[in-house]
Amino acid sequence: PVEAPAPPPAPVPRYRKLLRPVLAAASGLLLYASFPPRPLWWLAPLAFALFGLVMHGRRVRAGFGLGYLAGLGFLLPLLVWTGVEVGPVPWLGLAALEALFVAAAGAGIAYVSRLPLWPLWSAGVWIAVEAARARVPFGGFPWGKVAFGQPEGVFLPLAAVGGTPMLGFAVVLCGFGLGELARRLAVQRRVWERGVAGAVLLAAAPVAAGLAALPLVDDGAENGTTTVALIQGNVPRMGLDFASQRRAVLDYHVRETKKLAADVKAGRAKQPDLVLWPENSSDIDPYANADAYYAIDEAAKAIGAPISVGAVVNSKKGELLNEQILWDPEKGPTTTYDKRQLQPFGEYMPYRSFFRIFSSDVDLVHQDFTPGKKSVVFDMAGTKIGPVTCYEAAFDWAVRDQVKAGAQIISVPSNNATFDRSEMTYQQLAMSRVRAVEHSRAVMVPVTTGVTAVIRPDGSVAQKTKMFTADALVAEVPKRSSTTPATELGTLPEWLLVALGVGGIGWSVARTYKARKARG
């Protein structure tokens, strides 16, 4: 008798088809929720547990698509501040571009997910993609590195071991280990089987490593202390037109400095050894404008301490510089530091004619800034201060260079006036907290509009201001000269972790080739 044909497979319910895309986007949203200002650092491993489960066993193409959804879920809310004043086009464009890196990570993770110990190789793939994202295009955009969502918590001490790559790797590995543990428990009847034990080990090892690294976190004063004043002058109005208020912004910082000087004279505040002003506190070139020069000089004499002034300067060569000027109360302007890592589309406009097609706002950048060429440490009343101007704090090399040049304290002068009351300032503050632990240095964050903060070498915030409020902070700050393994090792941990990810992909390629050859 003729056998009846097999019945067609039952159609997959629509909700089943949508489940993985929805979970991929949810993993990105969960990762976003782990970032400041929310103190929910522990959500990050859970986000990667979910991400790993979604990616496990997928084809490369599916991994790319699911990774892109996860990237959008993470970066769209994280970077919404980029469109506060210029509309949604730059925000959506930047998020869509950066999500491609997460998509690439998804493809790589899907490819290595069938290997033994796949969480290990997958975490390496993620760090390899973060390394690429921190370098290309236009010098890279490290904003949103996993490490920057960990300014507190059990993993943070690992920043002192291997910098932000090691810290991020630990978080991702823990998450993938948790995902593998959940997967194993769902398919195995006996919890003591070898695969479960391996998953437990992969999830627990980063936590144990973080606890083991705790002795590297120290906020003691190795070279005595110094009294630092941070000035937050505020601006008349928030938004892009802060530049039209240049004289008012300078006057506000002069006023707050003189007000502090009066408090010192009256015994209400301690005499500072040095004073830090934020980026763009003088957008009037004091070398070319006598009134600006006089105002800053008067403030320095009133407070009786050197001031680090954030100024916009036109050099003799016609270059526009974002400059920190060491202003001595007796000698006037002396040493300068020119910002080296400039912000594309903010301080210079790459491919101006091309991007003008999408938005005329490119012409808000009338003249491109010129990047500085070297690290410079200020000697301020016997204390070595390493300026790291605003956007530079996101770049590992920029901070490390200043510490290796001898900085005992790091200063991150910033201007967030164009980003309203968005989360941007809290995201940037978290970076500075991570940098404090990474290099075992106190980090001072003077900001035009807030949040200005004093950060201890252990990453905790000693003092901070409110946003859009004129204020001054005075704090006794420890000076430190010892270096952490992260400072000394430089990029080595990152490249080792990149090699781990690339090695996992190479192993997958070899296994695939061998399997195809065996099939003929």
Side-chain angles (χ1 to χ4, degrees), residues 137-156:
F138 313 126
F141 187 70
W143 212 280
K145 287 176 74 170
V146 172
F148 295 147
Q150 302 289 310
E152 54 195 55
V154 69
F155 302 106
L156 179 59

Side-chain angles (χ1 to χ4, degrees), residues 216-296:
L216 293 174
V217 181
D218 184 2
D219 62 355
E222 295 176 330
N223 307 106
T225 63
T226 188
T227 302
V228 181
L230 287 74
I231 303 298
Q232 179 174 300
N234 204 9
V235 299
R237 296 179 305 279
M238 64 184 76
L240 283 175
D241 67 340
F242 81 91
S244 65
Q245 312 165 50
R246 291 175 301 191
R247 182 60 210 227
V249 173
L250 171 58
D251 288 343
Y252 283 11
H253 285 84
V254 170
R255 181 185 66 189
E256 286 303 310
T257 304
K258 289 183 175 180
K259 182 180 175 182
L260 176 60
D263 287 343
V264 169
K265 188 174 181 180
R268 294 187 295 268
K270 188 175 181 180
Q271 169 66 47
D273 298 311
L274 59 100
V275 180
L276 302 175
W277 283 10
E279 179 189 35
N280 298 120
S281 47
S282 178
D283 274 353
I284 302 174
D285 185 347
Y287 298 109
N289 295 272
D291 57 338
Y293 186 105
Y294 176 77
I296 299 169

Side-chain angles (χ1 to χ4, degrees), residues 68-400:
Y68 194 71
L69 290 174
L72 291 177
F74 172 47
L75 293 166
L76 279 172
L78 186 82
L79 302 178
V80 68
W81 51 267
T82 60
V84 166
E85 293 293 335
V86 294
V89 172
W91 161 49
L92 295 174
L94 178 61
L97 174 64
E98 294 298 316
L100 288 171
F101 287 94
V102 184
I109 290 165
Y111 193 52
V112 302
S113 66
R114 291 182 175 86
L115 294 176
L117 301 177
W118 70 266
L120 187 67
W121 313 110
S122 296
V125 169
W126 182 275
I127 297 304
V129 172
E130 275 199 345
R133 191 162 78 87
R135 291 167 172 82
V136 294
F138 313 126
F141 187 70
W143 212 280
K145 287 176 74 170
V146 172
F148 295 147
Q150 302 289 310
E152 54 195 55
V154 69
F155 302 106
L156 179 59
L158 290 170
V161 178
T164 60
M166 181 69 75
L167 173 54
F169 177 79
V171 175
V172 178
L173 177 59
C174 179
F176 286 155
L178 289 172
E180 174 66 353
L181 177 60
R183 192 185 71 85
R184 290 278 183 176
L185 291 177
V187 300
Q188 293 181 188
R189 294 180 180 179
R190 293 179 297 175
V191 298
W192 57 84
E193 290 188 18
R194 186 175 59 182
V196 172
V200 170
L201 179 62
L202 290 170
V207 176
L211 294 173
L214 268 173
L216 293 174
V217 181
D218 184 2
D219 62 355
E222 295 176 330
N223 307 106
T225 63
T226 188
T227 302
V228 181
L230 287 74
I231 303 298
Q232 179 174 300
N234 204 9
V235 299
R237 296 179 305 279
M238 64 184 76
L240 283 175
D241 67 340
F242 81 91
S244 65
Q245 312 165 50
R246 291 175 301 191
R247 182 60 210 227
V249 173
L250 171 58
D251 288 343
Y252 283 11
H253 285 84
V254 170
R255 181 185 66 189
E256 286 303 310
T257 304
K258 289 183 175 180
K259 182 180 175 182
L260 176 60
D263 287 343
V264 169
K265 188 174 181 180
R268 294 187 295 268
K270 188 175 181 180
Q271 169 66 47
D273 298 311
L274 59 100
V275 180
L276 302 175
W277 283 10
E279 179 189 35
N280 298 120
S281 47
S282 178
D283 274 353
I284 302 174
D285 185 347
Y287 298 109
N289 295 272
D291 57 338
Y293 186 105
Y294 176 77
I296 299 169
D297 201 55
E298 195 176 46
K301 284 179 166 59
I303 195 64
I307 303 176
S308 179
V309 178
V312 173
V313 172
N314 282 282
S315 73
K316 294 179 180 179
K317 299 178 181 179
E319 299 171 326
L320 191 63
L321 304 172
N322 187 338
E323 191 164 82
Q324 287 292 310
I325 305 171
L326 174 53
W327 205 287
D328 186 270
E330 301 298 329
K331 302 176 183 177
T334 57
T335 314
T336 60
Y337 169 72
D338 298 326
K339 186 176 182 179
R340 293 176 291 166
Q341 184 67 52
L342 299 177
Q343 181 185 348
F345 306 101
E347 292 173 305
Y348 74 97
M349 188 57 60
Y351 306 115
R352 184 184 294 265
S353 59
F354 172 75
F355 286 108
R356 192 182 287 115
I357 297 171
F358 304 98
S359 175
S360 60
D361 287 335
V362 298
D363 293 321
L364 291 173
V365 182
H366 302 296
Q367 180 183 351
D368 291 343
F369 280 81
T370 299
K373 297 179 176 60
K374 60 181 181 179
S375 57
V376 177
V377 170
F378 290 171
D379 186 340
M380 302 183 72
T383 298
K384 302 292 180 63
I385 300 291
V388 179
T389 307
C390 197
Y391 184 59
E392 290 184 319
F395 292 83
D396 295 348
W397 64 267
V399 186
R400 184 172 57 247

Side-chain angles (χ1 to χ4, degrees), residues 369-500:
F369 280 81
T370 299
K373 297 179 176 60
K374 60 181 181 179
S375 57
V376 177
V377 170
F378 290 171
D379 186 340
M380 302 183 72
T383 298
K384 302 292 180 63
I385 300 291
V388 179
T389 307
C390 197
Y391 184 59
E392 290 184 319
F395 292 83
D396 295 348
W397 64 267
V399 186
R400 184 172 57 247
D401 278 3
Q402 295 293 61
V403 175
K404 298 202 79 170
Q408 298 169 310
I409 295 171
I410 300 168
S411 173
V412 185
S414 303
N415 174 28
N416 299 339
T418 58
F419 302 114
D420 205 337
R421 297 183 183 274
S422 70
E423 294 182 357
M424 181 270 185
T425 191
Y426 300 104
Q427 294 169 9
Q428 189 176 52
L429 182 62
M431 294 179 193
S432 296
R433 294 178 65 185
V434 172
R435 297 303 185 195
V437 175
E438 182 180 10
H439 299 291
S440 195
R441 294 291 187 275
V443 178
M444 307 295 103
V445 187
V447 185
T448 49
T449 57
V451 173
T452 293
V454 175
I455 301 170
R456 301 184 185 96
D458 64 2
S460 61
V461 178
Q463 297 183 43
K464 65 178 181 179
T465 66
K466 296 179 180 178
M467 292 184 70
F468 293 97
T469 303
D471 205 349
L473 301 179
V474 180
E476 189 172 354
V477 178
K479 298 191 288 185
R480 296 181 60 83
S481 57
S482 64
T483 54
T484 63
T487 308
E488 293 300 321
L489 292 172
T491 59
L492 180 61
E494 181 178 41
W495 289 121
L496 290 175
L497 295 172
V498 169
L500 181 68

Side-chain angles (χ1 to χ4, degrees), residues 24-83:
S27 70
L29 286 169
L30 197 60
L31 182 58
Y32 159 71
S34 73
F35 271 66
R38 293 159 297 279
L40 303 176
W41 58 269
W42 46 270
L43 285 179
L46 300 182
F48 282 101
L50 182 57
F51 187 68
L53 286 171
V54 169
M55 295 297 161
H56 189 272
R58 298 299 95 194
R59 294 181 180 273
V60 170
R61 183 182 298 178
F64 185 90
L66 293 168
Y68 194 71
L69 290 174
L72 291 177
F74 172 47
L75 293 166
L76 279 172
L78 186 82
L79 302 178
V80 68
W81 51 267
T82 60

